[in-house]
Amino acid sequence: PAAVAPQLFPSLNNFHCQLASFLVLEACVGCFNGCAATMRATYIPEDVQAAVMNLNRVPLNVLVVTGTYVADYAPAQVAFGAVGVAFLMGAALQGALIASISSAAKKTA
């Protein structure tokens, strides 16, 4: 949400609103890292955890390189819009994972 806010509200062009959006984004990323560590410990067996996590870093690095190129050749709003879309896709995939886990738990219960 914080990454998309500057695109949704053009009035956020002042420094204080942008700083607040950035701080909210950083808080969300910080919360995500804690949740990701909990999910990793819960769902990925420890003996294969390193291999699985390294496989997940490849798409992340592709996104970072793509974002760097977008930032070099596109206006800032397009670059932040692309980051916002990536965050929204991640949220949708996380929601799908939660729904899948919930339905699997109901079937086994």
Side-chain angles (χ1 to χ4, degrees):
V4 183
Q7 283 68 39
L8 296 178
F9 306 107
S11 62
L12 293 180
N13 282 336
N14 72 33
F15 174 76
H16 298 294
C17 291
Q18 289 179 348
L19 178 63
S21 294
F22 173 74
L23 293 176
V24 169
L25 173 68
E26 287 299 313
C28 291
V29 170
C31 290
F32 167 79
N33 286 333
C35 294
T38 301
M39 288 177 58
R40 180 173 51 243
T42 303
Y43 297 111
I44 302 174
E46 192 172 336
D47 55 337
V48 296
Q49 201 173 61
V52 170
M53 292 310 297
N54 283 330
L55 287 175
N56 289 333
R57 287 191 176 110
V58 172
L60 175 64
N61 288 335
V62 169
L63 286 173
V64 168
V65 169
T66 303
T68 303
Y69 282 125
V70 168
D72 286 344
Y73 297 109
Q77 278 195 314
V78 173
F80 283 117
V83 170
V85 167
F87 278 131
L88 290 173
M89 287 181 1
L93 290 172
Q94 188 173 7
L97 176 65
I98 290 169
S100 173
I101 291 169
S102 300
S103 66
K106 288 180 185 176
K107 287 180 184 178
T108 59

